[in-house]
Amino acid sequence: MNIYSRLIFPTLIDLVMSGKDFTNYRRVVLADAAGSVLEIGFGTGLNLAYYLPSRVDKITTVDVNPGMNKLARKRIATSSIDVDFQVITGEKLPMTDSTFDTVVSTWTLCSIKQVETAIAEIHRVLKPGGKFLFIEHGLSNEPNIQTWQHRITPIQKVIGDGCHLDRPIRQLISTQFSNLAVREFYTPNTPKIGGYFYQGIAIK
């Protein structure tokens, strides 16, 4: 992992993802989190403030970037929820099958190298009837926007530490989850190439 990924990107992404619009989406998505929770792509811990302590027993978090650790630890220290923070990849989870009531992913599936494998792992570690809660950006439903997403993604992967603009999130998740509800929309105040969002719940 290079210096940009470890030292610069964590501070940059923390600043960008702290905006009001992102905060509102976090609050809505995380309201459904309950029981034993796994968060894939914990990053700097921005989601932590929006879990409801009355509904969540424990949060296990994974993130492959050790550079996120410093900012994440500060937020964990102020939380009333028990958090187990692990610097590991989401593509090979050490947890046993059917461990979690809820799995959460927010703006993370865009960056995982082997995203299909990670989604299979999410399905594996969920309990039967467990929920996968997510909000992601990805491939637009407009062909002209898709063209630009494909063109710019190679640059975005460098700037965004592996982030793809053009992943078909609904299609990817549906390969593992047949019980899936997704809302697709453009978020305000964001260029269309990066602002096509998928928000949903998948049930095992």
Side-chain angles (χ1 to χ4, degrees), residues 43-101:
T44 61
L46 286 169
N47 283 342
L48 196 52
Y50 304 100
Y51 286 102
L52 302 177
S54 60
R55 290 174 53 83
V56 173
D57 300 324
K58 180 180 179 178
I59 305 172
T60 301
T61 71
V62 302
D63 200 289
V64 72
N65 186 344
M68 302 288 186
N69 186 52
K70 184 177 180 180
L71 291 170
R73 290 291 182 190
K74 288 181 179 179
R75 292 189 169 105
I76 291 170
T78 63
S79 175
S80 62
I81 302 173
D82 183 16
V83 179
D84 176 15
F85 180 80
Q86 301 187 33
V87 182
I88 57 174
T89 177
E91 293 135 315
K92 191 175 182 180
L93 298 172
M95 300 84 179
T96 57
D97 296 357
S98 304
T99 297
F100 298 100
D101 300 294

Side-chain angles (χ1 to χ4, degrees), residues 1 4-5 9 13 17 40-43 62-65 68 88-91 105-116 118-119 135-138 153 156-169 172:
M1 187 167 288
Y4 173 77
S5 295
F9 184 71
I13 197 66
M17 300 301 289
I40 302 290
F42 187 62
V62 302
D63 200 289
V64 72
N65 186 344
M68 302 288 186
I88 57 174
T89 177
E91 293 135 315
S105 172
T106 60
W107 301 287
T108 296
L109 297 182
C110 62
S111 300
I112 299 176
K113 288 183 179 179
Q114 297 175 309
V115 65
E116 295 91 346
I119 294 170
I135 184 163
E136 303 286 349
H137 72 98
T153 284
Q156 174 67 13
K157 286 168 64 178
V158 176
I159 298 171
D161 198 30
C163 173
H164 295 67
L165 297 170
D166 56 356
R167 283 186 168 167
I169 300 299
L172 289 167

